[in-house]
């Protein structure tokens, strides 16, 4: 892969590596889809949760066979397992979605704080696949772009909480399952498209670290 010449090209490369590409999107969609199908056909909590875990295990096996990274499949299994544990303890089907709602709420707070302090979360995603995790902070162009991308991701978290929390409080499990799926990978894909337009249109030149330091 050629060295990036612009801020947008750099961020595009680093985000692709950090988010797992299309396979990461697919892995995030199979569990809620399996739960929805199981719930609509059986109205049985254990069957629906079991279907979610089963498809995640299949995704894990596929990744092992293909010798691909396991972090996204394992992460999906852990999230699904936590949701299943909570629901099994309470006996309420809507509690399957409580950990996800709380996670989105917590991420919203983290993203807001990161933007206010001008250490946007997306910057750390960029830095996570570099030898210098905070080197991006020295380039004002990257910081500005990461602020915009962080705001874009924040909007998705806020939408999920705003839609799903009232449904959870109302105990509407079917609507929760549908919105979990609709606001999962489709919303993520929409965000990727918008981010892609931002990254493709921009032509912000990479600023040399010594030049950035001299300007501060």
């Amino acid at each position: 892969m050629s060295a990036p010449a612009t801020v947008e090209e750099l961020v595009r490369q680093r985000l692709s590596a950090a988010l797992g590409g299309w396979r990461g999107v697919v892995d995030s969609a199979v569990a809620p889809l399996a739960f929805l199908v199981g719930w609509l056909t059986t109205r049985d909590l254990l069957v629906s949760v079991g279907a979610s875990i089963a498809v995640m295990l299949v995704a894990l096996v596929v990744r092992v066979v293909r010798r691909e990274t396991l972090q996204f499949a394992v992460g999906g299994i852990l999230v699904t397992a936590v949701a299943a544990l909570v629901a099994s303890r309470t006996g309420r089907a809507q509690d399957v979605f409580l950990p996800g709602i709380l996670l989105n709420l917590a991420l919203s707070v983290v993203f807001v704080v990161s933007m206010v302090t001008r250490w946007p979360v997306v910057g750390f995603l960029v830095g996570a696949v570099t030898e210098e995790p905070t080197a991006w902070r020295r380039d004002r162009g990257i910081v500005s772009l990461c602020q915009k991308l962080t705001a874009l991701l924040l909007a998705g978290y806020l939408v999920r909480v705003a839609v799903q929390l009232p449904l959870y409080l109302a105990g509407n499990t079917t609507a929760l399952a549908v919105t979990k799926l609709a606001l999962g990978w489709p919303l993520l894909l929409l965000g990727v498209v918008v981010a892609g337009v931002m990254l493709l249109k921009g032509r912000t030149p990479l600023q040399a670290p010594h030049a950035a330091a001299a300007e501060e």
Side-chain angles (χ1 to χ4, degrees):
M1 182 180 296
S2 60
T6 66
V7 171
E8 290 77 13
E9 187 179 353
L10 172 65
V11 174
R12 188 167 63 247
Q13 288 182 8
R14 302 296 162 77
L15 280 181
S16 177
L19 297 178
W22 291 105
R23 287 301 304 275
V25 173
V26 173
D27 286 349
S28 69
V30 292
L33 177 59
F35 181 91
L36 176 59
V37 173
W39 181 256
L40 290 177
T41 55
T42 68
R43 297 288 173 170
D44 188 290
L45 175 60
L46 293 180
V47 171
S48 303
V49 170
S52 297
I53 295 177
V55 296
M56 290 303 301
L57 289 174
V58 170
L60 178 62
V61 171
V62 169
R63 281 188 174 269
V64 170
V65 171
R66 295 169 62 95
R67 297 182 179 180
E68 297 174 342
T69 178
L70 303 180
Q71 68 183 76
F72 301 102
V74 171
I77 290 175
L78 290 177
V79 171
T80 304
V82 169
L85 178 62
V86 171
S88 65
R89 293 289 185 180
T90 64
R92 301 191 311 171
Q94 68 263 34
D95 286 342
V96 168
F97 304 94
L98 181 59
I101 294 171
L102 294 178
L103 177 61
N104 278 281
L105 184 59
L107 288 172
S108 298
V109 174
V110 171
F111 275 49
V112 168
V113 171
S114 77
M115 292 180 64
V116 170
T117 58
R118 293 194 63 79
W119 282 84
V121 170
V122 171
F124 291 100
L125 291 179
V126 173
V129 288
T130 65
E131 294 180 357
E132 294 184 70
T134 60
W136 59 272
R137 191 64 173 74
R138 298 197 293 268
D139 192 309
R140 293 180 180 177
I142 295 181
V143 173
S144 177
L145 181 60
C146 288
Q147 284 275 77
K148 296 175 183 177
L149 292 173
T150 299
L152 181 62
L153 293 175
L154 171 62
Y157 296 132
L158 292 175
V159 168
R160 293 185 186 103
V161 173
V163 172
Q164 291 188 307
L165 185 56
L167 294 175
Y168 170 78
L169 295 175
N172 194 333
T173 303
T174 300
L176 279 168
V178 171
T179 56
K180 173 78 172 180
L181 185 61
L183 298 179
W185 62 266
L187 188 60
L188 177 60
L189 287 179
L190 177 60
V192 169
V193 169
V194 175
V197 171
M198 294 168 57
L199 295 175
L200 289 174
K201 289 179 63 178
R203 293 292 184 271
T204 309
L206 276 172
Q207 189 175 2
H210 64 274
E215 292 181 9
E216 293 179 352

